[in-house]
Amino acid sequence: MSRTVAAVAILISTLSAGTVHAQVRPTVPVSGQTAPQTQAAAPRSPASAEQRAAADRMDPLTRSVFWAREQEVDPRDPIAGVKAAQALRELGQHEQAAATAQGVLLVQPQNVEAMLEVGRAHIARGQGFYGIAALEQARDLSPRDWRPLSLLGVAYHQVKREADARQAWNTGLTLSPDNPEILTNAAMAQTEGGDAAGAETLLRRAAAQPNASTKIRLNLALVLGLQGKTAEAEQIIRRDLPPEMADRNLAWLRARTAAGAGNGTSPTPGRTWSSLQGR
């Protein structure tokens, strides 16, 4: 699910192609002469398909190391570049994730997956404006793909282009009806705007889909709690989270609801909710 919150980034460099590491052997006297002899290190080979599949099942840190190595072996490998960008984004290194994905586009200017990662990374750091161009290009290159539209809606929302955001999500839902990611993105935008009741309607649709994720259900619990429907919210949270994390989420939710009631405003979610969910 695309996220509407931001984090910080760390720059990690990758090695250029064709670097040869030489090893110097001890000098050996030959006919009264000495001369250093060098032997080029054997070039590393890309990982096998089985190794790559296994790496995709690992945690983000392990994946970031693995795909960085694959980029060192072949900096022109677009799959390695996109996978590295994804892992960096999941680690919270959003600026480097965007830069890595942008590097893929230097090699393959029409790589839609790289464009999507550029958009996701900028959205994740709260700077969706800088991902809009790549996402619009992905939308134009892949007009039957709902993913660019889902992400574009979030990016437009971040820059307060609300009509464009709604249009993007509506178009995405015509391509993929009841898509839980699109519904959730639209719902969270409504929640931030203070319309928890409208968000609840969308999130119930999203949560009812067979492929709905835990995070979608937890977002439903959020909007239920913000409306004072704490019993149902607690049922969802305790079903999907271990006890300690459930207690933290419920304590946060009660505090937010109390704060909203105290100042007469409708409470809206902050970044703490996302961090409590482990996002």
Side-chain angles (χ1 to χ4, degrees), residues 134-146:
L135 292 173
E136 288 179 338
Q137 187 177 6
R139 174 200 62 194
D140 296 341
L141 288 170
S142 187
R144 304 303 300 172
D145 190 344
W146 60 267

Side-chain angles (χ1 to χ4, degrees), residues 169-184:
W169 287 325
N170 288 337
T171 303
L173 287 171
T174 63
L175 298 175
S176 181
D178 285 330
N179 184 286
E181 291 193 21
I182 301 175
L183 290 170
T184 301

Side-chain angles (χ1 to χ4, degrees), residues 25-279:
R25 292 181 172 178
T27 57
V28 179
V30 178
S31 300
Q33 298 180 351
T34 61
Q37 299 179 5
T38 61
Q39 180 181 17
R44 291 182 295 178
S45 301
S48 66
E50 292 77 10
Q51 290 172 319
R52 289 188 166 206
D56 280 338
R57 296 190 290 269
M58 300 298 180
D59 61 276
L61 179 58
T62 302
R63 284 188 282 116
S64 70
V65 173
F66 176 87
W67 290 112
R69 175 196 175 278
E70 290 298 282
Q71 280 194 296
E72 291 176 12
V73 173
D74 181 6
R76 297 179 63 84
D77 181 350
I79 294 176
V82 171
K83 297 278 190 178
Q86 179 183 357
L88 288 166
R89 173 173 55 83
E90 292 175 13
L91 287 170
Q93 299 178 17
H94 299 134
E95 288 185 5
Q96 174 59 11
T100 301
Q102 197 69 52
V104 174
L105 294 175
L106 296 177
V107 179
Q108 289 190 347
Q110 294 190 324
N111 188 309
V112 170
E113 298 302 320
M115 295 172 191
L116 295 179
E117 277 303 319
V118 170
R120 291 186 185 108
H122 286 302
I123 286 169
R125 70 187 189 96
Q127 298 291 330
F129 173 83
Y130 298 100
I132 287 175
L135 292 173
E136 288 179 338
Q137 187 177 6
R139 174 200 62 194
D140 296 341
L141 288 170
S142 187
R144 304 303 300 172
D145 190 344
W146 60 267
R147 296 175 301 165
L149 293 161
S150 179
L151 291 167
L152 268 173
V154 181
Y156 289 147
H157 172 68
Q158 286 189 345
V159 298
K160 304 185 186 307
R161 292 170 57 179
E162 303 300 346
D164 290 335
R166 288 191 297 271
Q167 181 178 354
W169 287 325
N170 288 337
T171 303
L173 287 171
T174 63
L175 298 175
S176 181
D178 285 330
N179 184 286
E181 291 193 21
I182 301 175
L183 290 170
T184 301
N185 285 335
M188 297 315 292
Q190 286 186 309
T191 305
E192 291 181 2
D195 184 10
E200 177 187 343
T201 300
L202 295 178
L203 284 168
R204 286 192 184 279
R205 284 174 60 190
Q209 304 310 310
N211 57 338
S213 67
T214 297
K215 291 176 182 177
I216 291 174
R217 293 191 295 272
L218 290 173
N219 282 326
L220 173 59
L222 166 66
V223 299
L224 290 170
L226 293 178
Q227 297 175 87
K229 301 177 182 179
T230 53
E232 186 178 359
E234 182 169 358
Q235 286 181 345
I236 296 171
I237 290 170
R238 293 204 181 279
R239 183 168 57 244
D240 285 325
L241 294 176
E244 297 82 3
M245 188 174 291
D247 288 341
R248 288 197 298 271
N249 276 268
L250 288 166
W252 179 90
L253 189 54
R254 292 186 184 105
R256 293 288 299 182
T257 305
N263 59 27
T265 62
S266 176
T268 56
R271 296 182 188 183
T272 307
W273 176 255
S274 296
S275 63
L276 285 169
Q277 293 184 55
R279 294 200 289 177

